[in-house]
């Protein structure tokens, strides 16, 4: 069902225009990379503060209050530009094992952030200036690892090593939901 949807999406005038545009795709992709810098840079600063490795003289609540709006802005831009990048090449992207790995890590990173903010909000209370509890530090460490993974797999989406139009091992074809390939 999703396969039929992305096949249809690839035939829409907007998708074709964006994919074939001389400049627009590159502008969207560049904006996506700049937004990654903004989003992951601010998230990394928050995580490093929670880990006690940076900004140790600044209360965690102040770091959160100052950086979270920038993180949210970066994330909104990432979502919009990421959706446009998918829209430009929906079939190839949908069947990319790198895209699927990125989406899995993105969901895990989102759950990790939700759990952290549910537990601590923007006011960590007793550990605002001191060392964070072990669970908060583990969450910060997981955040750094997950966002590095999202960037890593996102970057690999551009490469065609495992595209469905190439002969692949059965497990790659299954992971990418490739239709049967006939050389």
């Amino acid at each position: 069902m999703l396969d039929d949807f992305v096949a249809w999406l690839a035939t829409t005038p907007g998708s074709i225009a964006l994919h074939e545009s001389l400049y627009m795709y590159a502008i969207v992709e560049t904006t996506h990379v700049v937004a990654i810098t903004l989003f992951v840079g601010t998230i990394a600063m928050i995580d490093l503060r929670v880990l006690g490795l940076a900004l140790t003289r600044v209360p965690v609540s102040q770091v959160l209050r100052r950086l979270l709006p920038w993180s949210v802005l970066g994330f909104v831009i990432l979502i919009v530009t990421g959706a446009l990048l998918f829209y430009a090449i929906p079939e190839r992207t949908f069947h990319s094992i790198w895209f699927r790995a990125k989406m899995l890590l993105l969901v895990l990173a989102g759950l990790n952030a939700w759990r952290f903010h549910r537990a601590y909000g923007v006011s960590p209370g007793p550990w605002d200036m001191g060392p964070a509890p072990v669970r908060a530090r583990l969450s910060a460490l997981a955040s750094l690892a997950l966002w590095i993974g999202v960037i890593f797999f996102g970057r690999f989406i551009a490469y065609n090593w495992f595209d469905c139009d190439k002969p692949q091992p059965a497990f790659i074809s299954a992971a990418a939901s490739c239709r049967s390939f006939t050389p």
Side-chain angles (χ1 to χ4, degrees):
M1 184 170 168
L2 282 175
D3 200 39
D4 293 333
F5 173 72
V6 295
W8 168 80
L9 197 59
T11 64
T12 62
S15 176
I16 294 167
L18 183 55
H19 180 73
E20 293 180 356
S21 171
L22 187 57
Y23 300 111
M24 199 59 199
Y25 186 86
I27 290 169
V28 171
E29 191 171 36
T30 301
T31 304
H32 192 69
V33 170
V34 171
I36 289 168
T37 304
L38 175 62
F39 175 72
V40 175
T42 55
I43 291 297
M45 290 307 300
I46 292 167
D47 290 338
L48 291 172
R49 173 57 187 98
V50 171
L51 288 167
L53 299 174
L55 304 170
T56 54
R57 294 183 185 169
V58 182
V60 173
S61 59
Q62 189 174 355
V63 172
L64 288 168
R65 198 170 41 256
R66 288 184 178 186
L67 293 182
L68 277 180
W70 292 103
S71 298
V72 170
L73 175 64
F75 188 72
V76 168
I77 296 168
L78 278 176
I79 294 299
V80 170
T81 56
L84 287 170
L85 291 172
F86 182 88
Y87 181 57
I89 314 170
E91 285 185 292
R92 183 176 181 274
T93 305
F94 178 72
H95 291 289
S96 167
I97 61 169
W98 307 118
F99 175 75
R100 289 170 180 229
K102 176 184 176 176
M103 291 298 106
L104 174 64
L105 293 181
L106 188 61
V107 167
L108 293 174
L111 289 172
N112 182 58
W114 173 79
R115 189 179 143 279
F116 179 88
H117 288 286
R118 186 168 178 253
Y120 306 110
V122 291
S123 182
W127 56 272
D128 202 18
M129 281 301 294
V134 172
R135 291 180 86 169
R137 286 181 287 171
L138 288 174
S139 181
L141 197 57
S143 173
L144 288 170
L146 288 165
W147 288 115
I148 288 169
V150 167
I151 292 169
F152 180 84
F153 288 124
R155 184 64 197 110
F156 275 31
I157 293 169
Y159 298 99
N160 65 354
W161 301 318
F162 299 116
D163 280 1
C164 289
D165 63 346
K166 297 181 179 349
Q168 299 296 343
F171 75 94
I172 295 291
S173 292
S177 299
C178 295
R179 294 179 179 160
S180 61
F181 178 82
T182 327

